[in-house]
Amino acid sequence: ALLVISFDPDVYIKLKHFMSYLSWISEPLILSENVRDELYGKIGDIAGKKVLLYGTTGTRFTIDVAEKVGNTGKVYVTDLSEKTIYKISEKIERKKITQITAIHDEHQVNRIYPHIPQVNAIISTGMLGHIQDLRKVAKEMAAILPDSGRIVFKEEVDVFSFVPNIGWIAQPEKVVEIFREEGISISYVQVKRTFWTDLFIYGVKSKEDVPVI
């Protein structure tokens, strides 16, 4: 069943629609303040920058990123789930947050949305395991990043120590290899939590293979 969720976008979307009703519980657990601090530490200073959220855990995190970039920055958020995008759009309209553009992309498992402009950084949460054509996505990410532009994926693995890891999150070494071939030097680190392990895959666009700290 987990394998089906990994490679069937329709199944994944239905699951994410369901999870959106529980996001007020799950989002603070998955992206606690400590976890967000680790994520921001790996992406670097994004004040005044343009950031792509390639898949998002929820509304709170999206708005948190918008607060980080400030009024002079811009956040583009794309997601497979129309429900997730609707909730984000509703919230930013109510709060009059102007620096977020929310886009529903039903083909996100295979691409970066075509109308995303150049950005300074890319953040992705909960999406890596569902990407089908990772090489194409890596190439398109590299195309919209400047030299030294940064990227970070954040995923949960080894959930409850028995749930199988799905898709690319089960093979981070291969992810590193594919992104390196597309011009992005990346590394990964795993941080043990109580009920799962956080996987951070992060790096920088560079013509040379540079160490990522």
Side-chain angles (χ1 to χ4, degrees):
L2 287 171
L3 192 60
V4 171
I5 292 171
S6 174
F7 291 104
D8 188 332
D10 292 333
V11 175
Y12 172 65
I13 290 168
K14 288 176 183 177
L15 176 65
K16 193 154 190 186
H17 283 175
F18 172 74
M19 291 301 294
S20 69
Y21 293 104
L22 303 175
S23 63
W24 64 280
I25 297 175
S26 61
E27 195 176 355
L29 292 173
I30 294 171
L31 285 170
S32 66
E33 184 176 352
N34 287 342
V35 173
R36 292 198 308 270
D37 286 345
E38 290 182 58
L39 191 153
Y40 292 135
K42 289 172 173 52
I43 204 69
D45 183 14
I46 54 174
K49 303 290 182 62
K50 294 179 180 178
V51 177
L52 169 63
L53 292 185
Y54 176 72
T56 182
T57 303
T59 304
R60 295 181 188 182
F61 178 61
T62 302
I63 292 175
D64 193 57
V65 174
E67 291 173 351
K68 289 287 184 183
V69 303
N71 293 331
T72 59
K74 182 72 177 179
V75 176
Y76 301 92
V77 53
T78 64
D79 201 273
L80 271 171
S81 168
E82 190 173 10
K83 179 72 173 177
T84 297
I85 293 299
Y86 174 78
K87 288 182 70 175
I88 291 171
S89 299
E90 189 179 47
K91 191 68 170 283
I92 63 179
E93 183 176 353
R94 188 165 67 249
K95 286 182 167 288
K96 298 184 175 6
I97 301 172
T98 59
Q99 66 265 43
I100 299 175
T101 296
I103 302 165
H104 172 229
D105 185 7
E106 60 185 350
H107 302 296
Q108 183 159 276
V109 293
N110 289 311
R111 71 177 187 181
I112 299 300
Y113 189 73
H115 303 298
I116 298 297
Q118 289 279 306
V119 296
N120 304 103
I122 299 172
I123 300 172
S124 180
T125 56
M127 183 64 203
L128 182 60
H130 308 286
I131 297 174
Q132 293 181 352
D133 192 341
L134 183 62
R135 187 171 297 279
K136 180 173 181 288
V137 169
K139 185 186 294 291
E140 292 177 2
M141 285 182 171
I144 63 173
L145 283 171
D147 288 341
S148 300
R150 302 190 73 87
I151 182 171
V152 61
F153 291 92
K154 189 270 179 188
E155 304 287 333
E156 299 82 46
V157 300
D158 301 333
V159 178
F160 300 120
S161 300
F162 67 85
V163 177
N165 298 324
I166 59 174
W168 295 106
I169 65 173
Q171 41 188 331
E173 297 88 355
K174 186 65 177 177
V175 175
V176 170
E177 177 185 327
I178 289 173
F179 271 84
R180 177 60 267 164
E181 290 171 355
E182 298 304 330
I184 299 177
S185 292
I186 63 174
S187 184
Y188 71 92
V189 64
Q190 295 180 329
V191 182
K192 183 68 177 173
R193 309 297 183 190
T194 303
F195 299 113
W196 58 75
T197 296
D198 280 332
L199 171 65
F200 294 94
I201 300 179
Y202 59 101
V204 59
K205 181 177 176 180
S206 172
K207 293 184 177 68
E208 306 295 330
D209 190 5
V210 297
V212 181
I213 301 174

